[in-house]
Each structure stands twice: as C-alpha cells, then as structure tokens.
Amino acid sequence: MTNSTLAYYNQNAKCFSDSTLNVDMSALYAEFLPLITPQGHILDAGCGSARDAAYFKQQGFIVSAFDASEQLAALASDHLQQPVEVKTFQQLADKNHYDGIWCCASLLHIPKNELPQTFLKLQNALKPNGILYVSFKYGRQERLHNGRKFTDLNESGLRALVNKYKQMQLVKYWQSVDQRPGRESEVWLNALIKKETAL
C-alpha cells in the first residue's frame, strides 16, 4: 500500500468505517462460509471496519484480523471486541495457520508487481484445504483515484496470478455489483481459491 493510500484511510477512517459497516454482504458469505471448517479459524486480512470479521465471529468461527491503517484498526478493534493488529500483507508470516482467509476489497491496494509475493504469503498462511476469498475492482489497470492507488483485475489476470502456484486451485470466480448506495455501476471480480494438500 502506498503512503498516500494509507494516509487516506487514516484521515478518513471514521467516515470509511461508517460507510461500510451496514453493507449487505450475505451473498458473499454464502459462497465462502460453507467451505470453511465449522468453528474454524478465519483471518480477515485488511479488515477495514471489521464488519465481516464480526459476522464470522457471530457464526461461531475463531477470528483474527489486521489492517494497515492504525486508525481503522482501532475502530475495528472496538467493533470486533478483540484486538485488531496493525500490519500489512507484506508482514504476514503465518504458516499453515488458517482454515480461511478473507481478503474483501483489500488486495486491490497492493501494487501489481507485489501481488505474486502477496499471494505466496496467503498460500503459506492457509492450512491444507484452506479457502482464500479475494475481490478486486474489475479491470486490468493500475490507477490513482482520490489519492488511493488501485490494482484492478479481470478473469485472465486472476488466472495468471493463481496459476503461478501449484498448491493454489481456483475454485470459482464471478462478477458482482457494488452493494453501497450510489455505487451500483461499479463491478467487482470475486474468487474462491483452495490450497491443495502438498504434492
């Protein structure tokens, strides 16, 4: 994440958190959660407001969460009622630790040339047969918008990324529209990726 992107989230943490807390994510939960071991451990990576982590916790899952923004992590800790770490994807060093990792609208701030290394860290952090959910704004460019840097992905870009890793298997990918009011014209690429057992 660039300094300007991080500064945006620190400066607008409360507004951003408030704007996302009540978004209906049930359709995405319905794709992800049935694939996770009951009472399994889920990492909400780049958790923002911790809206999703809090839902997973309510469903009986063990939850961990982190965000690169110190201000967002503080708000997320309050909402989740447990500590949320301040760290980046580059600092993720867990090995075979999580049954599921949830990267909802968080990897899109990773520069494109850093995505392969980030996916390797996510693969390593998952247990065998663990599930990774990712979402990107639909497209194929890197762009700057309102002070934030975005990396957009389409299906071919996603497949090329996942295919770099023998243990990563693309289970499903699909497009969806943004659920926030007034953002219905924005399209997202969603994907579920499984970590296969060691070859």
Side-chain angles (χ1 to χ4, degrees):
M1 183 181 290
T2 63
N3 290 336
S4 64
T5 303
L6 186 56
Y8 173 93
Y9 285 108
N10 277 326
Q11 291 162 12
N12 298 280
K14 184 71 167 70
C15 180
F16 177 81
S17 179
D18 290 349
S19 72
T20 60
L21 267 178
N22 296 312
V23 178
D24 181 7
M25 304 296 285
S26 56
L28 297 180
Y29 299 154
E31 298 281 355
F32 177 69
L33 291 180
L35 303 178
I36 307 300
T37 305
Q39 287 83 52
H41 193 171
I42 298 174
L43 172 65
D44 190 346
C47 67
S49 64
R51 169 200 61 210
D52 304 327
Y55 180 82
F56 302 152
K57 190 175 178 179
Q58 288 167 6
Q59 304 310 304
F61 293 95
I62 299 165
V63 171
S64 297
F66 72 78
D67 199 276
S69 164
E70 186 176 351
Q71 298 299 320
L72 267 178
L75 292 170
S77 296
D78 288 341
H79 184 63
L80 189 57
Q81 295 295 294
Q82 72 181 58
V84 169
E85 281 191 275
V86 179
K87 71 177 182 182
T88 65
F89 282 98
Q90 287 82 355
Q91 294 169 307
L92 180 63
D94 299 306
K95 305 290 185 188
N96 301 314
H97 197 71
Y98 302 104
D99 298 287
I101 301 179
W102 179 262
C103 298
C104 183
S106 53
L107 291 169
L108 48 67
H109 293 309
I110 304 286
K112 193 169 188 177
N113 65 351
E114 294 180 19
L115 277 175
Q117 182 63 25
T118 302
F119 265 65
L120 180 61
K121 287 178 177 291
L122 292 166
Q123 172 193 271
N124 291 343
L126 278 171
K127 294 177 182 176
N129 297 313
I131 298 292
L132 170 65
Y133 167 78
V134 302
S135 63
F136 291 86
K137 292 200 175 187
Y138 192 84
R140 54 186 209 180
Q141 61 178 337
E142 289 186 273
R143 59 191 171 83
L144 199 62
H145 179 69
N146 288 344
R148 291 178 291 169
K149 189 171 183 181
F150 288 88
T151 299
D152 300 337
L153 271 192
N154 59 15
E155 293 88 349
S156 61
L158 178 68
R159 284 195 300 267
L161 191 56
V162 175
N163 287 343
K164 294 178 184 290
Y165 308 100
K166 290 182 179 178
Q167 280 189 271
M168 298 284 255
Q169 179 68 40
L170 200 50
V171 175
K172 178 181 182 179
Y173 54 82
W174 69 101
Q175 294 179 25
S176 62
V177 297
D178 202 301
Q179 295 298 304
R180 290 169 293 181
R183 307 284 285 270
E184 295 84 2
S185 64
E186 295 185 25
V187 178
W188 291 82
L189 177 66
N190 308 271
L192 293 166
I193 302 158
K194 183 178 181 179
K195 178 179 178 177
E196 302 288 356
T197 52
L199 300 174

